[in-house]
Amino acid sequence: MDKRTYTLMTILGVLVAGCSSDKDEPSTPTPEPTLTGENVIVCNEGNWQSDNGQLSYYDSTTGVLTNQWFRQVNGYKLGDTPNDIIQVNDTLIAIAVNWSNIVQYIHPDGTACGATEKVPNNRKMCTDGEYIYLTSYAHICGDQTFEKGYVAKIDVATKNVVATCEVGWEPEGIKLYNGKLYVANSGGYGYSEDHAYETTVQVVDAATMQSIKTIDTGHINLYGGMAQAGQYLCINSGGDYYYVEPATIILNCDTDEFTVLDFPSTASTSDGQLFYTVGAAFSYITYEYKYDIHTINPATLSISDIIYTQEITDLIASLQSPYDIYVSPYTQNLYFTDARSYATAGYLYGYTPAGTQIFSPQKVYINPAHILAVPVEENEE
């Protein structure tokens, strides 16, 4: 509305308020919604270049899991290699579909509601509710070109890219803290491009999209998911898969100080205070995986080999290929997946913080790599 309309409405509001009787009943406040449960979306990557990425949807009300959920709701496929999913606000979910070069948007009921197509080879996202910040391995964004990778800033209202910032080679995880973006550079294409692995976390001003500084961790290939607990970040260093061992970096964003732990955290999550990690160390020498399971307190740097309970930890350790781990911000329920052979359907598991099984193992799809809990709410009477 323009200034004159706003002024007129303000005057009318004052006059009405002045004429109101003290006996008038106060207006009834809008009831606050209460959490009654949560549904779960699993983003299955499928096989790269096979165009078989899928969403699986677990309905906690009915206890039914639906595979090919996106296609069932919308009548077409999600795309090739979806590799991140985040909830932007109450009505919008964003999915980075890497090899299809789009960000697909859906409502919590699965209905598609637009896409962003100018960020090819996209990877990981974070959001402040007004903008989405997205990393890309590509060297192009619309009519812009970059020597290395970049971060795109997407306006949630228009779904358009409104700014970019070049960062390091093959940027991976990204988190927002105190108005700054923390971007983990991997350099993962060093085997095919003329550059080395990266060792840096790039700090970018989210408002101006200007690079502020880089934090050199001294450890290569900052690849995989990044978890956040307040001012602390949990960043995986994948090593070189030959002789350089993987590691975990705990970064304090308030001080830029970091601690290096001698185990990987390929999949990580947080309850806001602690990090829960499952690290996969792969060797091209032995062609074998070694897995590490840990709970980390970033404030004290104390480390446990148990996640929630011994029974849950033993179950994760028994999985063929543990692939993702996720703590719900609404219930603190723990969800994790097993990719099994990477070419056949995987499984989803769910447990309460006390260790109670939420549902029996649910068969999902190929490479179930990213989990999102969606709250189920109702208004109080």
Side-chain angles (χ1 to χ4, degrees):
M1 73 181 64
D2 61 29
K3 184 176 181 181
R4 290 174 298 173
T5 304
Y6 178 83
T7 303
L8 177 59
M9 291 181 68
T10 303
I11 294 172
L12 290 174
V14 171
L15 291 174
V16 170
C19 295
S20 298
S21 167
D22 290 339
K23 296 180 180 180
D24 288 346
E25 292 293 329
S27 59
T28 303
T30 303
E32 290 292 329
T34 57
L35 182 71
T36 61
E38 63 188 9
N39 301 324
V40 180
I41 301 173
V42 179
C43 191
N44 304 279
E45 292 182 341
N47 299 122
W48 181 58
Q49 292 188 320
S50 296
D51 196 24
N52 62 345
Q54 288 190 15
L55 297 183
S56 299
Y57 181 76
Y58 178 77
D59 188 323
S60 61
T61 303
T62 64
V64 174
L65 184 135
T66 302
N67 287 313
Q68 294 194 18
W69 180 56
F70 179 88
R71 187 168 187 171
Q72 184 180 103
V73 172
N74 299 291
Y76 57 92
K77 295 187 293 185
L78 176 63
D80 198 314
T81 325
N83 59 197
D84 201 11
I85 181 169
I86 61 171
Q87 182 141 14
V88 180
N89 54 43
D90 291 343
T91 62
L92 190 67
I93 293 168
I95 306 159
V97 190
N98 172 265
W99 206 243
S100 291
N101 300 319
I102 66 168
V103 179
Q104 176 67 60
Y105 302 99
I106 62 173
H107 295 306
D109 66 359
T111 305
C113 54
T116 300
E117 300 182 356
K118 291 186 177 181
V119 189
N121 207 348
N122 50 56
R123 292 296 296 172
K124 306 295 183 184
M125 300 177 288
C126 67
T127 184
D128 55 14
E130 185 177 0
Y131 297 98
I132 294 169
Y133 304 93
L134 171 65
T135 62
S136 171
Y137 280 17
H139 306 298
I140 187 170
C141 181
D143 58 359
Q144 294 179 286
T145 59
F146 307 93
E147 178 187 4
K148 302 178 181 180
Y150 65 93
V151 175
K153 181 177 183 177
I154 301 171
D155 188 324
V156 172
T158 65
K159 301 181 177 62
N160 292 327
V161 176
V162 294
T164 57
C165 180
E166 184 169 13
V167 287
W169 297 103
E170 292 80 61
E172 266 287 299
I174 181 170
K175 292 295 181 183
L176 179 65
Y177 176 73
N178 199 23
K180 301 181 182 69
L181 299 168
Y182 290 79
V183 183
N185 297 309
S186 74
Y189 281 176
Y191 68 92
S192 60
E193 296 187 1
D194 188 22
H195 62 76
Y197 280 119
E198 293 273 18
T199 62
T200 60
V201 174
Q202 193 113 5
V203 184
V204 177
D205 184 281
T208 64
M209 291 299 287
Q210 297 296 311
S211 179
I212 301 172
K213 58 187 170 184
T214 57
I215 302 169
D216 194 339
T217 69
H219 287 259
I220 66 170
N221 191 13
L222 305 184
Y223 175 85
M226 180 192 292
Q228 182 173 12
Q231 76 264 35
Y232 298 103
L233 300 179
C234 180
I235 306 168
N236 180 61
S237 167
D240 68 354
Y241 314 112
Y242 287 95
Y243 303 107
V244 179
E245 294 291 328
T248 292
I249 297 159
I250 304 299
L251 173 65
N252 185 336
C253 298
D254 281 339
T255 64
D256 291 347
E257 297 176 345
F258 59 88
T259 300
V260 179
L261 307 174
D262 63 353
F263 53 80
S265 54
T266 319
S268 61
T269 186
S270 174
D271 60 7
Q273 293 183 319
L274 303 176
F275 292 123
Y276 305 94
T277 69
V278 177
F282 177 74
S283 170
Y284 275 116
I285 298 174
T286 64
Y287 277 85
E288 294 179 347
Y289 282 93
K290 177 185 175 183
Y291 295 98
D292 287 274
I293 299 170
H294 294 287
T295 296
I296 306 167
N297 185 327
T300 64
L301 293 175
S302 59
I303 302 168
S304 167
D305 294 334
I306 295 176
I307 293 179
Y308 276 31
T309 70
Q310 187 63 59
E311 291 74 17
I312 290 175
T313 305
D314 291 343
L315 174 57
I316 296 172
S318 73
L319 300 180
Q320 185 175 346
S321 302
Y323 210 54
D324 192 33
I325 184 169
Y326 173 83
V327 171
S328 165
Y330 311 107
T331 63
Q332 307 297 295
N333 289 340
L334 178 72
Y335 302 96
F336 50 92
T337 62
D338 183 1
R340 297 170 67 84
S341 71
Y342 300 107
T344 58
Y347 281 83
L348 170 69
Y349 301 80
Y351 287 83
T352 68
T356 303
Q357 188 181 59
I358 300 170
F359 44 70
S360 60
Q362 300 289 306
K363 189 175 184 180
V364 285
Y365 192 58
I366 298 172
N367 295 324
H370 315 281
I371 304 168
L372 181 70
V374 180
V376 178
E377 298 176 332
E378 66 179 16
N379 289 335
E380 294 179 340
E381 294 292 334

